């Protein structure tokens, strides 16, 4: 019987890789739903977080797991497509190891249980997948399991906040009967109606 607290992150990692593959060079400077991040910076962030959460799963703690995501604005290099795909593949592979889900680890300079780190990784891939798709005009259907993990993580974070805000900014109200993706996006502090032309 599969442990219900674990899940496969690979389907969502593959979705993000496909979205990145659909980005054109002309779109790299376009805005995204993330304030102050152009598409190229979002892609750099995705590469960095994939490496950080890969290493968190491996318990290979160091520079990649200690860096705060609020530091320098990330960017991409000339081989970013290959770099991102490789990092996402390695991320998915690292979380297949049952040991990744046990004990403590670190990501973004924060110590946390392995299972919580997996939920944070799932949330990052689900929400930033939406960011990338929305910024580049691509369709987006996240992995249902990862989306549910992301939504539950964001909802718990919002409920624990002193001001009812989310961990990424004030929660954007979304109707209770809205699609789960819209509700997760709202909990992340984003407007589900966002478009580059708004």
């Amino acid at each position: 019987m599969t442990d219900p607290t674990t899940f496969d992150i690979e389907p969502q990692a593959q979705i993000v890789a496909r979205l990145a593959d659909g980005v054109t060079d002309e779109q790299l400077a376009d805005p995204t739903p993330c304030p102050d991040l152009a598409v190229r910076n979002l892609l750099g962030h995705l590469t960095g977080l994939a490496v950080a959460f890969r290493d968190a799963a491996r318990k290979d703690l160091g520079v990649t797991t200690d860096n705060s995501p609020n530091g320098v604005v990330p960017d991409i290099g000339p081989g970013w497509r290959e770099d991102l795909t490789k990092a996402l593949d390695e991320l998915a592979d690292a979380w297949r190891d049952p040991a990744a889900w046990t004990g403590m680890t670190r990501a973004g300079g924060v110590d946390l249980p392995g299972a919580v780190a997996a939920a944070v990784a799932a949330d990052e891939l689900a929400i930033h997948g939406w960011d990338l798709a929305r910024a580049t005009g691509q369709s987006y259907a996240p992995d249902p399991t990862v989306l549910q993990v992301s939504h539950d993580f964001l909802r718990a974070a919002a409920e624990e906040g002193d001001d009812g805000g989310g961990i990424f900014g004030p929660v954007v109200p979304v109707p209770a009967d809205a699609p789960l993706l819209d509700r997760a996006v709202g909990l992340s502090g984003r407007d589900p109606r966002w478009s580059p032309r708004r």
Side-chain angles (χ1 to χ4, degrees), residues 55-81:
D55 291 348
R58 294 173 176 174
K59 310 292 197 298
D60 183 11
L61 309 184
V63 174
T64 60
T65 59
D66 289 345
N67 289 338
S68 168
N70 299 320
V72 178
V73 174
D75 204 350
I76 52 173
W80 69 266
R81 292 180 192 278

Side-chain angles (χ1 to χ4, degrees), residues 52-108:
F53 283 97
R54 173 202 70 194
D55 291 348
R58 294 173 176 174
K59 310 292 197 298
D60 183 11
L61 309 184
V63 174
T64 60
T65 59
D66 289 345
N67 289 338
S68 168
N70 299 320
V72 178
V73 174
D75 204 350
I76 52 173
W80 69 266
R81 292 180 192 278
E82 295 78 14
D83 293 344
L84 178 55
T85 298
K86 180 174 184 280
L88 288 167
D89 286 345
E90 291 176 348
L91 170 72
D93 185 62
W95 285 102
R96 287 194 195 96
D97 183 352
W101 299 80
T102 63
M104 296 294 292
T105 190
R106 184 181 310 130

Side-chain angles (χ1 to χ4, degrees), residues 107-175:
V110 177
D111 292 326
L112 66 175
V116 174
V120 176
D123 175 60
E124 291 276 355
L125 292 182
I127 298 301
H128 287 318
W130 179 86
D131 291 330
L132 186 59
R134 192 54 62 98
T136 58
Q138 300 184 67
S139 61
Y140 182 53
D143 174 70
T145 299
V146 165
L147 176 59
Q148 187 67 61
V149 170
S150 171
H151 174 269
D152 293 349
F153 170 76
L154 290 166
R155 184 181 60 197
E159 289 172 352
E160 290 173 8
D162 293 336
D163 57 0
I167 58 175
F168 301 113
V171 169
V172 174
V174 175

Side-chain angles (χ1 to χ4, degrees), residues 11 39 41 47 53 84 94 107 132 138 167 169 178 185 190 194:
V39 169
N41 306 124
T47 303
F53 283 97
L84 178 55
L132 186 59
Q138 300 184 67
I167 58 175
V185 166
R190 293 156 169 80
W194 187 93

Side-chain angles (χ1 to χ4, degrees), residues 9-25:
I9 207 167
E10 182 178 17
Q12 182 62 28
Q14 290 179 344
I15 289 167
V16 171
R18 285 196 298 271
L19 289 169
D21 192 53
V23 175
T24 67
D25 289 343

Side-chain angles (χ1 to χ4, degrees), residues 18-42:
R18 285 196 298 271
L19 289 169
D21 192 53
V23 175
T24 67
D25 289 343
E26 292 74 23
Q27 292 175 315
L28 292 175
D30 288 353
T32 73
C34 304
D36 304 321
L37 293 188
V39 169
R40 67 180 303 121
N41 306 124
L42 177 58

